[in-house]
Amino acid sequence: MLRLQGEMIRGGTSKCWFFDHHDVVATGVDADALLLAAYNAADPRQIDGVGGASSTTSKAAIVQTSRAPGIDVEYAFAQVGVGDERVEWTSNCGNCATAVALYAVHNGLVPITSDSTTVRMLNVNTGARLTGTIPTPGGTAPDEGGAAVPGTTALGVPVLLGFEDPAGTTTGRALPTGRALDTLTGPTGPVEASLVDAGAPAALFEAKAFGLDGTETIAEFAAAVPALTALRRQAALAMGLAKESDPVSHAVPKAGVVAGPAAYRTTDGTLVAQDEYDLAVRMVSMHAPHPAIGLTSAVALATAAAIPGSLAHRVARQTADGTLRLGTPAGVITAQAVPAQDGASPTVLLHRAARRIARAELLVPVLEGRPA
C-alpha cells in the first residue's frame, strides 16, 4: 500500500486530482499504474478509488515548477479510464488548467506580489502555453469566490484563462490537412468535416449530417455518439495523430457537431433564445456526450469559426469583436479571441471558476512489479 498526497480541485465543470511531480516519482511506481490503482479505473463505478466514474471527474494532473523561460508551472494532464485500465496522456484539459492556476497559487509555486496573480503554465502533453489570472487581494490566496460557470450552480474563485498562440499546438498547423473542409467516411457514407488544431485537435461536423439541429438534449445527442466515435478515428488518421496500426484513442481528436443558433433549453430547463449565442455545439467526451464543452474544444471552435470555408464559419453568427458565444447543453460559454503580436495566432480568453475541495493522503493499492 502506497501513500500519496493529493489535492482535489474543481475547475469549471470538471474535478481533477493534483499531485506533486516529486511525490509521484518518489513512489517508485509508474504513473499509469499509480493512477489506475488510485482511481480504481477497472471498475466502471470506480467504487474503490478516488475517481468520479465519469469522464469529467476521472482526471488528474501532475504538477511541478518549470525552468523553461517565461513559464512558472508545467503539468502533465491525465484522462483516467472509467471501466478501462488505460490512462490517456495525449490531450489537455482547460477546466483542469483553470484548477492548475489555483493549485499553483496555494502551494507556493508562484509568488503572490499584487492583488491579482498570473500563473504562466505549460501543458507538457501538447506543448500548449496558458495563463491563469486569479484575484489575490491583500497578497493572499483565496479559498472562496463568487464566480459561476454554465454547467454547475457552485461558485468558485474567478480565473481568467488564456490560451496563448493556440493554433497548431499538436500538429503544427491550425488546419492539419491544409484544408478548411475535408470528407471522411462514416458508418453510413461520406461526411463533411472541418479538422482543426487549436487548443486541442478537433473534428467538427455539421449537425444536420446526423439528422440533428444542434440544440439536442444530452440524451438526444447520445444517439449520434457511435457514429462520431467511428469518425473520430478517421479524423485522427487524416490529421496525422495516429497510424492505422496504433490503438484507438478516445481522447483526441475532440469530436462534435455544430449548427446555427436556435432557441433551446439547457439541461436545467433554462430557455436560451436564438439571439443569446452565435454557434450551437454538442461535443463528445470520451464515450459519451459532454455535459457542457471542454475548454480546449471551445478554443478549437473559436479558431474554426474565424476560418472561411470551415463548417463552423459556415453556420456561426459572425461578430466584429472576436467574441464567440457557444450554445452548449449547460448554457452559453463565451470565448474571446485577442490579436497577438509577432505573427502568433490570437490568444483565446475564457472566464472560469475553481474551488479547492480537499487535501488528502491517498492509500493506493499498487500491485508489485510495476516500477517507475
Side-chain angles (χ1 to χ4, degrees):
M1 186 74 69
L2 292 175
R3 296 174 182 269
L4 179 65
Q5 297 297 318
E7 185 165 333
M8 180 193 281
I9 304 178
R10 175 181 64 84
T13 53
S14 292
K15 283 195 298 187
C16 192
W17 276 97
F18 287 84
F19 307 103
D20 183 278
H21 170 79
H22 301 291
D23 290 346
V24 172
V25 172
T27 67
V29 176
D30 172 77
D32 286 59
L34 191 66
L35 292 175
L36 291 173
Y39 280 64
N40 187 210
D43 183 354
R45 299 173 301 163
Q46 296 184 330
I47 198 69
D48 195 43
V50 298
S54 71
S55 65
T56 56
T57 57
S58 190
K59 299 180 176 186
I62 300 174
V63 187
Q64 63 180 323
T65 54
S66 178
R67 296 180 179 178
I71 298 294
D72 300 310
V73 171
E74 55 189 57
Y75 68 97
F77 167 71
Q79 181 74 59
V80 183
V82 180
D84 179 12
E85 287 195 279
R86 181 167 52 170
V87 181
E88 293 270 10
W89 298 97
T90 55
S91 62
N92 187 17
C93 172
N95 277 317
C96 285
T98 300
V100 169
L102 188 60
Y103 175 88
V105 168
H106 270 280
N107 286 275
L109 302 184
V110 293
I112 299 175
T113 57
S114 65
D115 285 344
S116 68
T117 299
T118 296
V119 184
R120 300 169 300 175
M121 301 174 284
L122 173 68
N123 171 244
V124 299
N125 308 61
T126 63
R129 293 182 174 230
L130 306 95
T131 58
T133 301
I134 295 175
T136 48
T140 60
D143 274 321
E144 296 179 305
V149 295
T152 175
T153 58
L155 302 179
V157 176
V159 182
L160 179 62
L161 188 67
F163 288 77
E164 297 185 343
D165 194 14
T169 300
T170 302
T171 65
R173 297 197 293 178
L175 299 174
T177 67
R179 297 177 293 273
L181 199 62
D182 285 276
T183 300
L184 303 179
T185 302
T188 60
V191 181
E192 285 187 323
S194 288
L195 308 179
V196 181
D197 176 13
L204 306 175
F205 305 89
E206 198 163 358
K208 69 179 183 182
F210 303 89
L212 307 175
D213 65 9
T215 64
E216 283 72 21
T217 65
I218 290 175
E220 292 166 343
F221 177 55
V225 170
L228 287 167
T229 299
L231 284 162
R232 174 165 51 197
R233 174 62 172 177
Q234 296 300 311
L237 297 172
M239 299 170 81
L241 299 171
K243 300 187 292 290
E244 287 282 1
S245 59
D246 290 340
V248 174
S249 169
H250 296 289
V252 291
K254 310 298 182 183
V257 302
V258 295
Y264 74 99
R265 289 193 179 275
T266 65
T267 302
D268 67 4
T270 301
L271 178 64
V272 179
Q274 181 177 1
D275 61 359
E276 291 183 60
Y277 70 105
D278 308 307
L279 179 67
V281 57
R282 299 291 183 270
M283 298 295 296
V284 177
S285 178
M286 300 296 280
H287 306 280
H290 197 294
I293 187 173
L295 298 194
T296 53
S297 296
V299 174
L301 285 183
T303 301
I307 299 175
S310 75
L311 292 175
H313 186 275
R314 177 192 295 178
V315 300
R317 179 189 291 116
Q318 296 299 310
T319 62
D321 61 356
T323 60
L324 181 69
R325 299 170 299 171
L326 301 169
T328 80
V332 177
I333 293 174
T334 300
Q336 182 178 12
V338 179
Q341 298 177 348
D342 303 325
S345 59
T347 293
V348 178
L349 300 175
L350 300 111
H351 290 272
R352 307 304 291 164
R355 190 180 79 82
R356 300 165 79 213
I357 297 173
R359 298 184 73 180
E361 181 178 70
L362 279 57
L363 305 180
V364 185
V366 176
L367 296 175
E368 294 184 4
R370 300 293 293 270

